[in-house]
Coordinates of all heavy atoms in Angstrom, one line a residue:
M1 N 111.9 -177.1 203.2 CA 112.6 -177.4 204.4 C 113.2 -178.8 204.3 O 112.6 -179.7 203.8 CB 111.6 -177.4 205.6 CG 112.3 -177.8 206.9 SD 111.1 -177.8 208.3 CE 110.9 -176.1 208.5
K2 N 114.5 -179.0 204.6 CA 115.2 -180.2 204.6 C 115.3 -180.8 206.0 O 115.4 -180.1 206.9 CB 116.6 -180.1 204.0 CG 116.6 -179.7 202.5 CD 118.0 -179.6 202.0 CE 118.0 -179.4 200.5 NZ 119.4 -179.4 200.1
T3 N 115.4 -182.1 206.0 CA 115.6 -182.8 207.3 C 117.1 -182.7 207.6 O 117.9 -182.4 206.8 CB 115.2 -184.3 207.2 OG1 116.1 -184.9 206.2 CG2 113.8 -184.5 206.8
A4 N 117.5 -183.1 208.8 CA 118.9 -183.0 209.2 C 119.7 -184.0 208.3 O 120.8 -183.6 207.9 CB 119.0 -183.5 210.7
E5 N 119.1 -185.1 208.0 CA 119.8 -186.1 207.2 C 120.0 -185.6 205.8 O 121.1 -185.8 205.2 CB 119.0 -187.4 207.2 CG 119.1 -188.2 208.5 CD 118.1 -187.7 209.5 OE1 117.2 -186.9 209.2 OE2 118.2 -188.2 210.7
E6 N 119.1 -184.9 205.3 CA 119.2 -184.3 203.9 C 120.3 -183.2 203.9 O 120.9 -182.9 202.9 CB 117.9 -183.7 203.4 CG 116.8 -184.8 203.1 CD 115.5 -184.2 202.8 OE1 115.1 -183.1 203.4 OE2 114.7 -184.8 202.0
N7 N 120.5 -182.6 205.0 CA 121.6 -181.6 205.2 C 122.9 -182.2 205.6 O 123.9 -181.5 205.9 CB 121.2 -180.5 206.2 CG 120.2 -179.5 205.6 OD1 120.3 -179.2 204.4 ND2 119.3 -179.0 206.4
G8 N 123.0 -183.5 205.6 CA 124.3 -184.2 205.9 C 124.5 -184.3 207.4 O 125.6 -184.6 207.8
M9 N 123.5 -184.1 208.2 CA 123.7 -184.3 209.7 C 122.9 -185.5 210.1 O 121.8 -185.8 209.7 CB 123.1 -183.0 210.4 CG 123.8 -181.8 210.0 SD 123.1 -180.3 210.8 CE 123.6 -180.6 212.5
R10 N 123.5 -186.2 211.1 CA 122.8 -187.3 211.7 C 121.9 -186.8 212.9 O 122.2 -185.8 213.5 CB 123.8 -188.3 212.2 CG 124.7 -188.9 211.1 CD 125.5 -190.1 211.6 NE 125.8 -190.0 213.0 CZ 127.1 -189.9 213.5 NH1 128.1 -189.8 212.7 NH2 127.3 -189.9 214.8
A11 N 120.8 -187.5 213.1 CA 119.9 -187.1 214.2 C 120.6 -187.0 215.5 O 120.3 -186.1 216.3 CB 118.7 -188.1 214.2
D12 N 121.6 -188.0 215.8 CA 122.2 -187.9 217.1 C 123.2 -186.7 217.2 O 123.4 -186.1 218.3 CB 123.0 -189.2 217.4 CG 124.0 -189.6 216.4 OD1 123.8 -189.2 215.2 OD2 125.0 -190.2 216.7
D13 N 123.7 -186.2 216.1 CA 124.5 -185.0 216.1 C 123.6 -183.8 216.4 O 124.1 -182.9 217.2 CB 125.2 -184.8 214.7 CG 126.3 -185.8 214.4 OD1 126.8 -186.3 215.4 OD2 126.6 -186.0 213.2
V14 N 122.4 -183.8 215.8 CA 121.5 -182.6 216.1 C 121.1 -182.7 217.6 O 121.1 -181.6 218.3 CB 120.3 -182.7 215.2 CG1 119.2 -181.7 215.6 CG2 120.6 -182.6 213.8
Q15 N 120.9 -183.8 218.1 CA 120.5 -183.9 219.5 C 121.6 -183.5 220.5 O 121.5 -182.8 221.4 CB 120.1 -185.4 219.9 CG 119.6 -185.5 221.3 CD 119.1 -186.9 221.6 OE1 119.3 -187.8 220.8 NE2 118.4 -187.1 222.7
R16 N 122.9 -183.9 220.1 CA 124.0 -183.5 220.9 C 124.2 -182.0 220.9 O 124.5 -181.3 221.9 CB 125.3 -184.2 220.4 CG 126.5 -184.0 221.2 CD 127.7 -184.9 220.9 NE 127.8 -185.3 219.5 CZ 127.5 -186.5 219.0 NH1 126.9 -187.4 219.8 NH2 127.6 -186.8 217.7
E17 N 124.0 -181.4 219.7 CA 124.2 -179.9 219.6 C 123.1 -179.2 220.4 O 123.4 -178.2 221.1 CB 124.0 -179.5 218.1 CG 124.3 -178.1 217.8 CD 124.3 -177.7 216.4 OE1 124.7 -178.6 215.5 OE2 124.0 -176.5 216.1
A18 N 121.9 -179.8 220.4 CA 120.8 -179.2 221.2 C 121.1 -179.3 222.7 O 120.9 -178.3 223.4 CB 119.5 -179.9 220.9
Q19 N 121.7 -180.4 223.1 CA 122.1 -180.5 224.5 C 123.2 -179.5 224.9 O 123.1 -178.9 226.0 CB 122.6 -181.9 224.8 CG 121.5 -182.9 224.8 CD 122.0 -184.3 224.9 OE1 123.2 -184.6 224.7 NE2 121.1 -185.3 225.2
M20 N 124.1 -179.2 224.0 CA 125.2 -178.2 224.2 C 124.5 -176.8 224.3 O 124.9 -176.0 225.2 CB 126.2 -178.2 223.1 CG 127.2 -179.4 223.2 SD 128.6 -179.2 222.1 CE 127.8 -179.3 220.5
L21 N 123.6 -176.5 223.5 CA 122.9 -175.2 223.5 C 122.2 -175.0 224.8 O 122.2 -173.9 225.3 CB 121.9 -175.1 222.3 CG 122.5 -175.0 221.0 CD1 121.4 -175.0 219.9 CD2 123.3 -173.7 220.8
G22 N 121.7 -176.0 225.4 CA 121.0 -175.9 226.7 C 121.9 -175.5 227.8 O 121.5 -175.0 228.9
R23 N 123.2 -175.8 227.7 CA 124.2 -175.4 228.8 C 124.7 -174.0 228.6 O 125.4 -173.5 229.5 CB 125.3 -176.4 228.7 CG 124.9 -177.8 229.2 CD 126.1 -178.7 229.4 NE 126.9 -179.0 228.2 CZ 126.7 -180.0 227.4 NH1 125.8 -180.9 227.6 NH2 127.5 -180.1 226.3
I24 N 124.4 -173.3 227.6 CA 124.9 -172.0 227.3 C 124.1 -171.0 228.1 O 122.9 -171.0 228.0 CB 125.0 -171.6 225.8 CG1 126.0 -172.6 225.1 CG2 125.3 -170.2 225.6 CD1 125.9 -172.5 223.6
S25 N 124.7 -170.1 228.9 CA 124.0 -169.1 229.7 C 124.9 -167.9 229.7 O 125.9 -167.8 230.4 CB 123.7 -169.7 231.1 OG 123.0 -168.7 231.8
H26 N 124.4 -166.8 229.0 CA 125.2 -165.6 229.0 C 124.2 -164.5 228.7 O 123.3 -164.7 227.8 CB 126.3 -165.6 227.9 CG 127.2 -164.4 227.9 ND1 126.9 -163.3 227.2 CD2 128.3 -164.2 228.6 CE1 127.8 -162.4 227.5 NE2 128.7 -162.9 228.3
P27 N 124.3 -163.3 229.3 CA 123.3 -162.2 229.0 C 123.3 -161.7 227.6 O 122.2 -161.2 227.2 CB 123.9 -161.1 229.9 CG 124.9 -161.6 230.8 CD 125.3 -162.9 230.3
S28 N 124.3 -162.0 226.8 CA 124.3 -161.5 225.4 C 123.8 -162.6 224.4 O 123.8 -162.4 223.2 CB 125.7 -161.1 225.0 OG 126.1 -159.9 225.7
I29 N 123.4 -163.8 225.0 CA 123.0 -164.9 224.1 C 121.6 -165.2 224.5 O 121.3 -165.5 225.7 CB 123.9 -166.1 224.2 CG1 125.4 -165.7 223.8 CG2 123.4 -167.2 223.4 CD1 126.4 -166.7 224.1
V30 N 120.7 -165.3 223.6 CA 119.3 -165.7 223.9 C 119.3 -167.1 224.4 O 119.9 -168.0 223.9 CB 118.4 -165.6 222.6 CG1 117.0 -166.1 222.9 CG2 118.4 -164.2 222.0
R31 N 118.6 -167.3 225.5 CA 118.6 -168.6 226.2 C 117.8 -169.6 225.4 O 116.7 -169.4 224.9 CB 117.9 -168.4 227.6 CG 117.9 -169.7 228.4 CD 119.2 -169.9 229.1 NE 119.0 -171.0 230.0 CZ 119.9 -172.0 230.2 NH1 121.0 -171.9 229.6 NH2 119.6 -172.9 231.0
Y32 N 118.4 -170.8 225.3 CA 117.8 -172.0 224.6 C 117.3 -172.9 225.7 O 118.1 -173.3 226.6 CB 118.9 -172.6 223.7 CG 118.4 -174.0 223.2 CD1 117.7 -174.0 222.0 CD2 118.7 -175.1 223.8 CE1 117.3 -175.3 221.5 CE2 118.4 -176.3 223.3 CZ 117.7 -176.4 222.2 OH 117.3 -177.6 221.7
F33 N 116.0 -173.3 225.6 CA 115.5 -174.2 226.6 C 115.3 -175.6 226.1 O 115.4 -176.6 226.9 CB 114.1 -173.7 227.1 CG 114.3 -172.4 227.9 CD1 113.9 -171.2 227.4 CD2 114.8 -172.4 229.2 CE1 114.0 -170.0 228.1 CE2 114.9 -171.2 229.9 CZ 114.5 -170.0 229.3
G34 N 115.1 -175.8 224.9 CA 114.9 -177.2 224.4 C 114.3 -177.2 223.0 O 114.0 -176.2 222.4
C35 N 114.0 -178.4 222.5 CA 113.4 -178.6 221.3 C 112.5 -179.9 221.3 O 112.7 -180.7 222.1 CB 114.4 -178.6 220.1 SG 115.5 -180.0 220.2
Q36 N 111.6 -179.9 220.4 CA 110.7 -181.1 220.3 C 110.4 -181.3 218.8 O 110.2 -180.4 218.1 CB 109.4 -180.8 221.0 CG 108.4 -181.9 221.0 CD 108.7 -183.0 221.9 OE1 109.3 -182.8 223.0 NE2 108.4 -184.2 221.6
V37 N 110.5 -182.5 218.4 CA 110.1 -182.9 217.0 C 108.7 -183.3 217.1 O 108.3 -184.2 217.9 CB 111.0 -184.0 216.4 CG1 110.5 -184.4 215.0 CG2 112.4 -183.6 216.4
V38 N 107.8 -182.7 216.3 CA 106.4 -182.9 216.3 C 105.8 -183.3 215.0 O 106.1 -182.7 214.0 CB 105.6 -181.6 216.8 CG1 104.1 -181.9 216.8 CG2 106.1 -181.2 218.2
G39 N 105.0 -184.4 215.0 CA 104.3 -184.8 213.8 C 103.1 -185.6 214.3 O 103.0 -186.1 215.4
T40 N 102.0 -185.6 213.5 CA 100.8 -186.3 213.9 C 100.5 -187.3 212.8 O 101.0 -187.4 211.8 CB 99.6 -185.3 214.0 OG1 99.4 -184.8 212.7 CG2 99.9 -184.2 214.9
T41 N 99.5 -188.2 213.2 CA 99.1 -189.2 212.2 C 98.4 -188.5 211.0 O 98.5 -189.1 209.9 CB 98.1 -190.2 212.9 OG1 97.1 -189.5 213.5 CG2 98.9 -191.1 213.9
N42 N 97.7 -187.4 211.2 CA 97.1 -186.7 210.1 C 98.1 -185.9 209.3 O 97.9 -185.7 208.1 CB 96.0 -185.7 210.6 CG 94.9 -186.4 211.3 OD1 94.6 -187.6 211.0 ND2 94.2 -185.7 212.2
N43 N 99.2 -185.5 209.9 CA 100.3 -184.8 209.2 C 101.6 -185.4 209.6 O 102.2 -185.0 210.5 CB 100.2 -183.3 209.6 CG 101.3 -182.5 208.8 OD1 102.0 -183.0 207.9 ND2 101.4 -181.3 209.2
P44 N 102.0 -186.5 208.9 CA 103.2 -187.2 209.3 C 104.5 -186.4 209.1 O 105.6 -186.8 209.6 CB 103.2 -188.4 208.4 CG 102.4 -188.1 207.2 CD 101.4 -187.1 207.7
R45 N 104.5 -185.3 208.4 CA 105.7 -184.5 208.2 C 106.1 -183.9 209.5 O 105.3 -183.2 210.2 CB 105.4 -183.4 207.2 CG 106.7 -182.6 206.9 CD 106.4 -181.6 205.8 NE 107.7 -180.9 205.5 CZ 107.8 -180.0 204.6 NH1 106.8 -179.6 203.9 NH2 108.9 -179.4 204.5
K46 N 107.3 -184.1 209.9 CA 107.7 -183.7 211.2 C 108.3 -182.3 211.2 O 108.9 -181.9 210.2 CB 108.8 -184.7 211.8 CG 108.2 -186.1 212.0 CD 109.1 -187.0 212.7 CE 108.5 -188.3 212.7 NZ 108.0 -188.8 213.9
H47 N 108.1 -181.6 212.3 CA 108.6 -180.2 212.4 C 109.3 -180.1 213.7 O 109.0 -180.7 214.7 CB 107.4 -179.2 212.4 CG 106.6 -179.2 211.2 ND1 107.0 -178.5 210.0 CD2 105.5 -179.9 210.8 CE1 106.1 -178.7 209.1 NE2 105.2 -179.5 209.5
L48 N 110.4 -179.3 213.6 CA 111.2 -179.1 214.8 C 110.8 -177.8 215.5 O 110.8 -176.7 214.9 CB 112.7 -179.0 214.4 CG 113.7 -178.6 215.6 CD1 113.7 -179.7 216.6 CD2 115.1 -178.3 215.0
W49 N 110.3 -177.9 216.7 CA 109.9 -176.7 217.5 C 111.1 -176.4 218.5 O 111.6 -177.3 219.2 CB 108.7 -177.0 218.3 CG 107.5 -177.2 217.4 CD1 107.1 -178.3 216.8 CD2 106.5 -176.2 217.1 NE1 105.9 -178.1 216.0 CE2 105.6 -176.8 216.2 CE3 106.4 -174.9 217.4 CZ2 104.5 -176.1 215.7 CZ3 105.3 -174.2 216.9 CH2 104.4 -174.8 216.1
I50 N 111.5 -175.2 218.4 CA 112.6 -174.7 219.3 C 112.1 -173.8 220.3 O 111.4 -172.8 220.0 CB 113.7 -174.0 218.5 CG1 114.3 -175.0 217.5 CG2 114.8 -173.5 219.4 CD1 115.3 -174.4 216.5
V51 N 112.4 -174.0 221.6 CA 111.9 -173.2 222.7 C 113.1 -172.3 223.2 O 114.1 -172.8 223.6 CB 111.4 -174.0 223.9 CG1 110.9 -173.1 225.0 CG2 110.3 -174.9 223.4
M52 N 112.9 -171.0 223.0 CA 114.0 -170.0 223.4 C 113.4 -169.0 224.3 O 112.2 -168.8 224.4 CB 114.6 -169.4 222.2 CG 115.2 -170.4 221.2 SD 115.9 -169.7 219.8 CE 117.4 -169.0 220.4
G53 N 114.3 -168.2 225.0 CA 113.9 -167.2 225.9 C 113.3 -166.0 225.1 O 113.6 -165.8 223.9
L54 N 112.4 -165.3 225.8 CA 111.8 -164.1 225.2 C 112.7 -162.9 225.3 O 113.3 -162.6 226.3 CB 110.5 -163.8 226.0 CG 109.7 -162.5 225.6 CD1 109.2 -162.7 224.2 CD2 108.6 -162.2 226.6
V55 N 112.8 -162.3 224.1 CA 113.6 -161.1 224.0 C 112.7 -159.9 224.0 O 111.9 -159.8 223.0 CB 114.6 -161.1 222.8 CG1 115.4 -159.8 222.7 CG2 115.5 -162.3 222.8
H56 N 112.8 -159.0 224.9 CA 111.9 -157.8 225.0 C 112.4 -156.7 224.0 O 113.6 -156.6 223.7 CB 111.8 -157.3 226.4 CG 111.2 -158.2 227.3 ND1 109.8 -158.4 227.4 CD2 111.8 -159.1 228.2 CE1 109.6 -159.3 228.3 NE2 110.7 -159.8 228.8
G57 N 111.5 -155.9 223.5 CA 111.8 -154.8 222.7 C 111.4 -155.0 221.2 O 110.6 -155.9 221.0
D58 N 111.9 -154.2 220.4 CA 111.6 -154.3 218.9 C 112.1 -155.6 218.3 O 113.0 -156.3 218.9 CB 112.2 -153.2 218.2 CG 111.7 -151.8 218.6 OD1 110.5 -151.8 219.0 OD2 112.4 -150.8 218.5
T59 N 111.6 -155.9 217.1 CA 112.1 -157.1 216.4 C 113.5 -156.7 215.8 O 113.8 -155.5 215.7 CB 111.2 -157.4 215.2 OG1 111.2 -156.3 214.3 CG2 109.7 -157.7 215.7
L60 N 114.2 -157.7 215.5 CA 115.6 -157.5 214.9 C 115.4 -156.8 213.6 O 116.2 -155.8 213.4 CB 116.3 -158.9 214.7 CG 117.7 -158.8 214.1 CD1 118.6 -158.0 215.0 CD2 118.2 -160.2 213.9
H61 N 114.4 -157.1 212.8 CA 114.2 -156.4 211.6 C 114.0 -154.9 211.8 O 114.6 -154.1 211.1 CB 113.0 -157.1 210.8 CG 112.8 -156.5 209.5 ND1 112.0 -155.3 209.3 CD2 113.2 -156.8 208.3 CE1 111.9 -155.0 208.0 NE2 112.7 -155.9 207.4
A62 N 113.1 -154.6 212.7 CA 112.8 -153.2 213.0 C 114.1 -152.4 213.5 O 114.3 -151.3 213.1 CB 111.7 -153.1 214.0
R63 N 114.9 -153.1 214.3 CA 116.1 -152.4 214.9 C 117.1 -152.2 213.8 O 117.8 -151.2 213.8 CB 116.7 -153.3 216.0 CG 115.8 -153.4 217.2 CD 115.6 -152.1 217.9 NE 116.9 -151.8 218.6 CZ 117.1 -150.7 219.2 NH1 116.1 -149.8 219.4 NH2 118.2 -150.4 219.8
I64 N 117.3 -153.1 212.9 CA 118.3 -153.0 211.9 C 117.9 -152.1 210.7 O 118.7 -151.3 210.3 CB 118.7 -154.4 211.3 CG1 119.4 -155.2 212.4 CG2 119.6 -154.3 210.1 CD1 119.6 -156.6 212.0
F65 N 116.7 -152.1 210.3 CA 116.3 -151.4 209.1 C 115.6 -150.0 209.4 O 115.0 -149.5 208.5 CB 115.3 -152.3 208.2 CG 116.1 -153.4 207.7 CD1 115.9 -154.7 208.2 CD2 117.0 -153.2 206.6 CE1 116.6 -155.8 207.6 CE2 117.7 -154.3 206.1 CZ 117.5 -155.6 206.6
T66 N 115.9 -149.5 210.6 CA 115.4 -148.1 210.9 C 116.5 -147.2 211.2 O 116.4 -146.4 212.1 CB 114.4 -148.2 212.1 OG1 115.0 -148.8 213.2 CG2 113.1 -148.9 211.7
A67 N 117.6 -147.3 210.5 CA 118.8 -146.5 210.6 C 119.2 -146.3 212.1 O 119.0 -145.3 212.7 CB 118.5 -145.1 210.0
P68 N 119.7 -147.4 212.7 CA 120.1 -147.3 214.1 C 121.2 -146.2 214.4 O 122.0 -145.9 213.5 CB 120.7 -148.7 214.5 CG 121.0 -149.3 213.1 CD 120.1 -148.6 212.1
E69 N 121.2 -145.7 215.6 CA 122.2 -144.7 216.0 C 123.6 -145.4 216.1 O 123.6 -146.6 216.4 CB 121.8 -144.1 217.3 CG 120.5 -143.3 217.3 CD 120.6 -142.0 216.5 OE1 121.7 -141.4 216.5 OE2 119.6 -141.7 215.9
A70 N 124.6 -144.6 215.9 CA 126.0 -145.2 216.1 C 126.2 -145.8 217.5 O 126.8 -146.8 217.6 CB 127.0 -144.1 215.8
S71 N 125.6 -145.1 218.5 CA 125.8 -145.7 219.8 C 125.1 -147.0 220.0 O 125.6 -147.9 220.7 CB 125.2 -144.7 220.8 OG 123.8 -144.5 220.6
D72 N 124.0 -147.2 219.3 CA 123.3 -148.6 219.3 C 124.2 -149.6 218.6 O 124.3 -150.7 219.1 CB 121.9 -148.5 218.7 CG 120.9 -147.8 219.5 OD1 121.0 -147.8 220.7 OD2 119.9 -147.3 218.9
I73 N 124.8 -149.2 217.5 CA 125.6 -150.2 216.8 C 126.8 -150.6 217.6 O 127.2 -151.7 217.7 CB 126.0 -149.6 215.4 CG1 124.8 -149.4 214.5 CG2 127.1 -150.4 214.7 CD1 125.1 -148.6 213.3
L74 N 127.4 -149.6 218.3 CA 128.6 -149.9 219.2 C 128.2 -150.8 220.3 O 128.9 -151.7 220.7 CB 129.2 -148.6 219.7 CG 130.0 -147.8 218.7 CD1 130.4 -146.5 219.2 CD2 131.2 -148.6 218.2
K75 N 127.0 -150.6 220.9 CA 126.5 -151.4 222.0 C 126.3 -152.8 221.5 O 126.7 -153.8 222.2 CB 125.2 -150.8 222.6 CG 124.6 -151.6 223.7 CD 123.4 -150.9 224.3 CE 122.2 -151.1 223.4 NZ 120.9 -150.6 224.0
W76 N 125.6 -153.0 220.3 CA 125.4 -154.3 219.8 C 126.7 -155.0 219.5 O 126.9 -156.2 219.8 CB 124.6 -154.2 218.5 CG 123.2 -153.6 218.6 CD1 122.5 -153.5 219.8 CD2 122.5 -153.0 217.6 NE1 121.3 -152.9 219.5 CE2 121.3 -152.6 218.2 CE3 122.7 -152.8 216.3 CZ2 120.3 -152.0 217.5 CZ3 121.7 -152.2 215.5 CH2 120.5 -151.8 216.1
A77 N 127.7 -154.3 219.0 CA 129.0 -154.9 218.7 C 129.7 -155.4 220.0 O 130.3 -156.5 220.0 CB 129.9 -153.9 218.0
G78 N 129.6 -154.6 221.1 CA 130.1 -155.0 222.3 C 129.4 -156.3 222.9 O 130.0 -157.2 223.4
Q79 N 128.1 -156.3 222.7 CA 127.3 -157.5 223.2 C 127.7 -158.7 222.4 O 127.8 -159.8 222.9 CB 125.8 -157.2 223.1 CG 125.3 -156.2 224.1 CD 123.9 -155.7 223.8 OE1 123.4 -155.9 222.7 NE2 123.3 -155.1 224.8
L80 N 127.8 -158.5 221.1 CA 128.2 -159.6 220.2 C 129.6 -160.2 220.6 O 129.8 -161.4 220.7 CB 128.2 -159.2 218.7 CG 128.6 -160.2 217.7 CD1 127.7 -161.4 217.7 CD2 128.6 -159.6 216.3
A81 N 130.5 -159.2 220.8 CA 131.9 -159.6 221.2 C 131.9 -160.4 222.5 O 132.6 -161.4 222.7 CB 132.8 -158.4 221.2
A82 N 131.1 -159.9 223.5 CA 131.0 -160.6 224.8 C 130.5 -162.0 224.6 O 131.0 -162.9 225.3 CB 130.2 -159.7 225.7
G83 N 129.4 -162.1 223.8 CA 128.8 -163.4 223.6 C 129.8 -164.4 222.9 O 129.9 -165.6 223.3
L84 N 130.5 -163.9 221.9 CA 131.5 -164.8 221.2 C 132.6 -165.2 222.1 O 133.1 -166.3 222.1 CB 132.0 -164.1 220.0 CG 131.0 -164.0 218.8 CD1 131.6 -163.1 217.7 CD2 130.7 -165.4 218.3
A85 N 133.1 -164.2 222.9 CA 134.2 -164.5 223.9 C 133.7 -165.6 224.9 O 134.5 -166.5 225.1 CB 134.6 -163.2 224.6
Y86 N 132.5 -165.5 225.4 CA 132.0 -166.5 226.3 C 131.9 -167.9 225.6 O 132.4 -168.9 226.2 CB 130.6 -166.1 226.7 CG 129.8 -167.2 227.4 CD1 130.0 -167.5 228.7 CD2 128.9 -168.0 226.7 CE1 129.3 -168.5 229.4 CE2 128.2 -169.0 227.3 CZ 128.4 -169.3 228.6 OH 127.7 -170.3 229.3
L87 N 131.4 -167.9 224.3 CA 131.4 -169.2 223.6 C 132.7 -169.8 223.4 O 132.9 -171.0 223.6 CB 130.7 -169.0 222.3 CG 129.2 -168.7 222.4 CD1 128.6 -168.4 221.0 CD2 128.4 -169.9 223.0
H88 N 133.7 -169.0 223.1 CA 135.1 -169.5 222.9 C 135.6 -170.1 224.2 O 136.4 -171.1 224.2 CB 136.0 -168.4 222.3 CG 135.8 -168.2 220.9 ND1 136.3 -169.0 219.9 CD2 135.1 -167.2 220.2 CE1 136.0 -168.5 218.7 NE2 135.2 -167.5 218.9
L89 N 135.3 -169.4 225.3 CA 135.8 -169.9 226.6 C 135.1 -171.3 227.0 O 135.6 -172.0 227.8 CB 135.6 -168.9 227.7 CG 136.5 -167.7 227.6 CD1 136.1 -166.6 228.7 CD2 137.9 -168.1 227.8
Q90 N 133.9 -171.5 226.5 CA 133.2 -172.7 226.8 C 133.7 -173.9 226.0 O 133.4 -175.1 226.3 CB 131.7 -172.6 226.5 CG 131.0 -171.5 227.2 CD 131.2 -171.6 228.7 OE1 130.9 -172.7 229.3 NE2 131.8 -170.6 229.3
V91 N 134.6 -173.7 225.1 CA 135.2 -174.8 224.2 C 134.1 -175.6 223.6 O 134.1 -176.8 223.6 CB 136.2 -175.7 225.0 CG1 137.0 -176.5 224.1 CG2 137.1 -174.8 225.9
V92 N 133.1 -174.9 223.1 CA 132.0 -175.6 222.4 C 132.3 -175.5 220.9 O 132.4 -174.4 220.4 CB 130.6 -174.8 222.7 CG1 129.5 -175.4 221.8 CG2 130.3 -175.0 224.2
C93 N 132.4 -176.6 220.3 CA 132.7 -176.6 218.9 C 131.7 -177.4 218.2 O 131.4 -178.6 218.4 CB 134.1 -177.3 218.7 SG 134.5 -177.4 216.9
V94 N 130.9 -176.7 217.3 CA 129.9 -177.4 216.5 C 130.3 -177.2 215.0 O 130.5 -176.1 214.6 CB 128.5 -176.7 216.7 CG1 127.5 -177.4 215.8 CG2 128.2 -176.9 218.2
Y95 N 130.6 -178.3 214.4 CA 131.0 -178.2 213.0 C 129.9 -178.8 212.1 O 129.4 -179.9 212.2 CB 132.3 -179.1 212.8 CG 132.7 -179.1 211.3 CD1 133.2 -178.0 210.7 CD2 132.5 -180.3 210.6 CE1 133.6 -178.1 209.4 CE2 132.9 -180.3 209.3 CZ 133.4 -179.2 208.7 OH 133.8 -179.3 207.4
N96 N 129.3 -177.9 211.2 CA 128.3 -178.4 210.3 C 128.8 -178.4 208.9 O 128.1 -178.0 208.0 CB 127.1 -177.5 210.4 CG 126.4 -177.6 211.8 OD1 126.4 -178.7 212.3 ND2 125.9 -176.6 212.3
G97 N 130.1 -178.7 208.7 CA 130.8 -178.6 207.5 C 130.2 -179.2 206.3 O 130.3 -179.1 205.2

């Protein structure tokens, strides 16, 4: 695992991105509630904990790798398109170039 700095990102950029994620609210996008960087004196290596909304149902792995029906694939495509359209309307631009 690399730190944000090792990936070419500054800590304040990561924090700003996290704040933007907290403002996103759409039925096709899993809700993001916040994050916390955690480390202890016994284990100084820090870990990023992300708090997101609970998604009911099967795991993504189970849904994708069990030969989904065409109707499910079309439903997912519609949900994906709706979520992307919402994000584009929010004028949220995150560049991790």
